[in-house]
Amino acid sequence: MMEDWRKILKKSLTTPEQILEKFKVDINPIKAVVKKYPMFVSRYYFDLIGEVDDPIWKQCIPSPLELQDPYGYEDPLNEEGDSPVPGLVHRYPDRVLMCVSNSCAMYCRFCTRKRKVGKPVINFSDDVYLAQIKYIRENPSIRDVLLSGGDPFMLPDEKIEFLLKKLKGIPHVEILRIGSRIPCTLPQRITPKLCRILKEYHPLYVNVHFEHPLEITEESERACGLLADAGIPLGNQSVLLKGVNDDPEVMKNLVHKLLRIRVRPYYLFQMDLVKGTYHFRTRVETGIKIIESLVGWTSGLAVPRFVIDAPGGGGKIPLQPDYILSIDDEKVVLRNYEGKVFVYPQTPVEKENNGVFIPLKTHQQYTRQNV
Ligand SMILES: *Cc1c(COP(=O)(O)O)cnc(C)c1O
Ligand code: SF4
């Protein structure tokens, strides 16, 4: 019988002193950090650390660099500015982000909501939830509700069911989504009972959050398998992190392992300009190079979309390596993943006034000539 997730959670690390149980490091600089940004690491995730400063350590153990960030903002995406009611972010025309919890099974040091995690900024209660749900019910343009947090799976099963049931009861809400890092940080929380509840609320999508191949373990595979067996399509959201996954080989290994546990890579995020996370930030070219190293070289299923969430709010903006060398009325000159050049003739455009087609060279004329 697997250990109950609540018991595992009780053994979480919340103070720098506990790090000493396994690693002999100077914890004094860490103590200063946790006064500003609290620490919380599930015992399961802590046990994944192989050595000091490895990719797992970097994500969960506070670093003195967090206090030396030369710039950055508490709320870089201006989520508060797009919040009509507490915890709800309505930024896009047809969907909302609904924060339902302040807590997580681990406080990722790079979190976009670093201002919130581990701090009771919103006292989530049924009144708060009902106000969020009322807003959604009164706005028929909302067809997609994304539960986030904090981590929604930190809530008790009954509360999750309460929220899903209320949301599913709104006629214009077509799909429900949950964003959770728990399959990675506390996979024991994904129980058959939870999955029995979730599968009553289809179409339900879950986006998980893995950053490094070391996080894909037997336990996380089991958790994702249970969710997938409940008919839930799984996507993954990663953040590009210096020293963790900012390397084409690491990323390729990660996306391949994700597909093997039935998770499809969805987004790769450029780090938001969050105060206290400067040391994790890579240059934008790094992400583009990683995408370039995947496109064509591996399954399209394995390639996430690289995005920057617009500073100040404005939504996610996709970034691509440039495969278009030129484009005009007659032809598009393209390169493929290997750098070979191809010409694709444009579809003829009807002229505006007299309905005459612009004369085009034939396809053969283009493909025979060298560009
Ligand atoms: C990311 C995000 C969503 C969901 O975006 P998708 O691109 O549809 O996955 C919705 N609302 C907010 C505020 C977001 O940041
Ligand atoms: S699990 Fe998600 S919300 Fe929680 S600290 Fe990590 S990144 Fe932030």
Side-chain angles (χ1 to χ4, degrees), residues 25-282:
V25 290
D26 177 13
I27 56 163
N28 285 319
I30 301 179
K31 283 186 186 164
V33 182
V34 299
K35 281 192 198 123
K36 178 135 199 239
Y37 301 117
M39 145 178 189
F40 192 97
V41 191
S42 80
R43 185 59 60 169
Y44 163 82
Y45 197 82
F46 184 68
D47 286 342
L48 296 183
I49 299 176
E51 58 186 26
V52 173
D53 226 25
D54 74 4
I56 302 291
W57 173 288
K58 282 198 169 88
Q59 292 184 64
C60 64
I61 303 296
S63 160
L65 296 172
E66 291 173 41
L67 301 178
Q68 294 165 29
D69 189 341
Y71 61 95
Y73 309 88
E74 299 296 329
D75 179 13
L77 308 180
N78 187 29
E79 292 191 324
E80 306 301 337
D82 276 341
S83 271
V85 294
L88 204 71
V89 187
H90 192 180
R91 166 159 304 152
Y92 295 105
D94 72 338
R95 53 206 189 279
V96 285
L97 187 91
M98 178 172 168
C99 296
V100 295
S101 144
N102 289 317
S103 63
C104 301
M106 158 177 137
Y107 297 158
C108 310
R109 306 317 301 173
F110 52 85
C111 180
T112 288
R113 306 206 181 97
K114 210 170 165 72
R115 68 185 187 282
K116 284 184 163 183
V117 287
K119 298 169 191 174
V121 273
I122 301 178
N123 198 354
F124 285 104
S125 63
D126 284 356
D127 285 347
V128 172
Y129 296 140
L130 291 172
Q132 295 173 323
I133 291 162
K134 179 165 181 279
Y135 177 87
I136 296 168
R137 196 183 299 116
E138 287 171 355
N139 284 274
S141 63
I142 300 169
R143 42 167 293 284
D144 170 358
V145 178
L146 171 48
L147 300 181
S148 179
D151 203 309
F153 288 149
M154 288 295 278
L155 299 176
D157 291 350
E158 302 69 51
K159 195 59 78 184
I160 294 171
E161 178 152 39
F162 163 85
L163 292 169
L164 295 176
K165 188 177 270 171
K166 288 269 185 212
L167 291 167
K168 196 167 166 67
I170 302 174
H172 54 264
V173 173
E174 296 171 11
I175 65 169
L176 299 174
R177 291 197 269 176
I178 295 176
S180 170
R181 201 170 186 197
I182 274 192
C184 172
T185 53
L186 183 67
Q188 297 81 359
R189 165 66 182 107
I190 307 301
T191 59
K193 176 166 174 257
L194 175 64
C195 293
R196 276 198 300 278
I197 293 172
L198 297 177
K199 76 178 211 281
E200 297 304 315
Y201 297 92
H202 280 310
L204 172 68
Y205 292 76
V206 169
N207 271 343
V208 296
H209 175 175
F210 289 87
E211 296 285 358
H212 192 278
L214 284 171
E215 294 168 345
I216 299 185
T217 61
E218 258 176 51
E219 288 91 338
S220 57
E221 177 171 4
R222 188 202 58 91
C224 292
L226 279 178
L227 291 167
D229 283 347
I232 302 170
L234 299 175
N236 185 64
Q237 308 198 151
S238 292
V239 185
L240 198 50
L241 301 171
K242 191 185 275 176
V244 174
N245 59 15
D246 59 336
D247 173 87
E249 278 313 303
V250 172
M251 199 52 87
K252 190 180 279 182
N253 190 347
L254 174 65
V255 294
H256 285 167
K257 283 191 150 175
L258 284 168
L259 288 181
R260 286 169 62 176
I261 65 166
R262 306 164 72 183
V263 177
R264 185 170 174 188
Y266 178 54
Y267 280 139
L268 174 62
F269 287 102
Q270 173 68 17
M271 279 249 14
D272 293 328
L273 304 171
V274 190
K275 187 91 192 154
T277 64
Y278 181 80
H279 57 297
F280 281 116
R281 212 161 298 132
T282 51

Side-chain angles (χ1 to χ4, degrees), residues 18-32:
Q18 290 168 289
I19 301 169
L20 298 171
E21 292 168 20
K22 210 169 150 191
F23 302 100
K24 303 295 162 234
V25 290
D26 177 13
I27 56 163
N28 285 319
I30 301 179
K31 283 186 186 164

Side-chain angles (χ1 to χ4, degrees), residues 236 251 255 265-268 290-291 294-295 300-306 320:
N236 185 64
M251 199 52 87
V255 294
Y266 178 54
Y267 280 139
L268 174 62
I290 287 175
I291 299 301
L294 297 172
V295 171
L301 274 177
V303 186
R305 182 177 296 178
F306 180 45
Q320 274 273 351

